[in-house]
Amino acid sequence: MASIPLLRLSVPLHHRRSTALLPPHPLKTAFQPGRLPQLLLKPTTTTKTKCSYTPTPAPDRLISAAAYFLPLFNGLQYGRFLFTKYPVLATPFEPLLPLLSLYHSVPYASFVTFFGFYLGIVRNPSLSRYARFNALQALVLDVLLVVPVLLQRIITPGRSGIALKLTAWAHSGLFVFVVGCFVYGLVASVLGKTPYLPLVAEAAGRQLD
């Protein structure tokens, strides 16, 4: 049987010279035995970001907290149905009775206090926006409390029947809403946070902007 001659592949001379002149591959040189990769030896730098926090000044907190007492004083009248049915609910408001008596003993105290907050705080550019916003929120809430009184004078509900029940439910719901807004606004103001009262915050923000 005739043997098949083996073919010898030869690389051209010019190709040998060109490959011999090429520089070594960087990965090949980096991962040589006994040598750590240069990428691992490069120092890494970390960037630290410092966040600055400016606490709310104490006078602004005090003004904001005091402003929410105005709608509370004018909104306690809507809790008479709840106080009659559940007398224990009046217990948390007993410490405020001397201040309430003084407030209602002054003629037109509600109007004087309202315009005092509006002209002295809300329209005072020397005060911070935080104090002005909270004061304006309290005033807007106080204005909303006048609407049920006007409606009650226009549409006089009866002293019995379904009309009286609807009035009691409406007043009780409004009282719970006012107390909730008062607690939320007071706690947030003491902590230096900005409270956003429902139905009130958007209107107050537009007035300041």
Side-chain angles (χ1 to χ4, degrees):
M1 183 175 179
S3 61
I4 301 174
L6 298 177
L7 297 178
R8 298 182 60 185
L9 298 177
S10 60
V11 181
L13 183 59
H14 67 278
H15 185 72
R16 296 178 183 176
R17 295 177 179 177
S18 60
T19 55
L21 296 177
L22 290 176
H25 197 275
L27 295 179
K28 184 177 179 181
T29 58
F31 291 94
Q32 291 180 358
R35 182 180 181 184
L36 291 176
Q38 296 180 359
L39 296 176
L40 299 179
L41 299 178
K42 292 183 178 180
T44 57
T45 58
T46 57
T47 304
K48 296 182 179 179
T49 304
K50 295 183 179 179
C51 299
S52 60
Y53 172 72
T54 303
T56 306
D60 294 340
R61 299 186 188 186
L62 181 61
I63 293 174
S64 302
Y68 290 104
F69 280 92
L70 178 62
L72 176 68
F73 288 169
N74 295 328
L76 286 178
Q77 58 178 331
Y78 295 107
R80 64 179 183 272
F81 293 101
L82 288 177
F83 295 154
T84 302
K85 191 174 183 179
Y86 307 101
V88 69
L89 295 179
T91 304
F93 302 99
E94 290 181 356
L96 299 177
L97 291 179
L99 190 58
L100 281 172
S101 300
L102 178 63
Y103 177 75
H104 290 292
S105 63
V106 178
Y108 304 103
S110 178
F111 293 98
V112 173
T113 307
F114 181 90
F115 285 104
F117 272 104
Y118 184 76
L119 298 177
I121 297 177
V122 176
R123 292 303 178 186
N124 191 350
S126 62
L127 295 178
S128 65
R129 190 184 188 279
Y130 179 82
R132 294 165 59 203
F133 176 76
N134 283 282
L136 187 55
Q137 273 199 135
L139 295 182
V140 174
L141 180 60
D142 189 63
V143 171
L144 294 179
L145 296 178
V146 182
V147 177
V149 176
L150 297 178
L151 292 178
Q152 189 174 355
R153 292 180 179 179
I154 297 173
I155 306 173
T156 304
R159 296 184 177 182
S160 62
I162 189 64
L164 181 60
K165 291 183 179 180
L166 291 177
T167 303
W169 292 342
H171 283 204
S172 300
L174 185 58
F175 172 74
V176 172
F177 176 73
V178 171
V179 173
C181 291
F182 167 75
V183 173
Y184 173 47
L186 181 65
V187 173
S189 299
V190 171
L191 297 178
K193 308 295 182 181
T194 303
Y196 295 96
L197 304 182
L199 305 177
V200 173
E202 186 177 356
R206 287 198 302 265
Q207 290 291 329
L208 289 181
D209 296 339

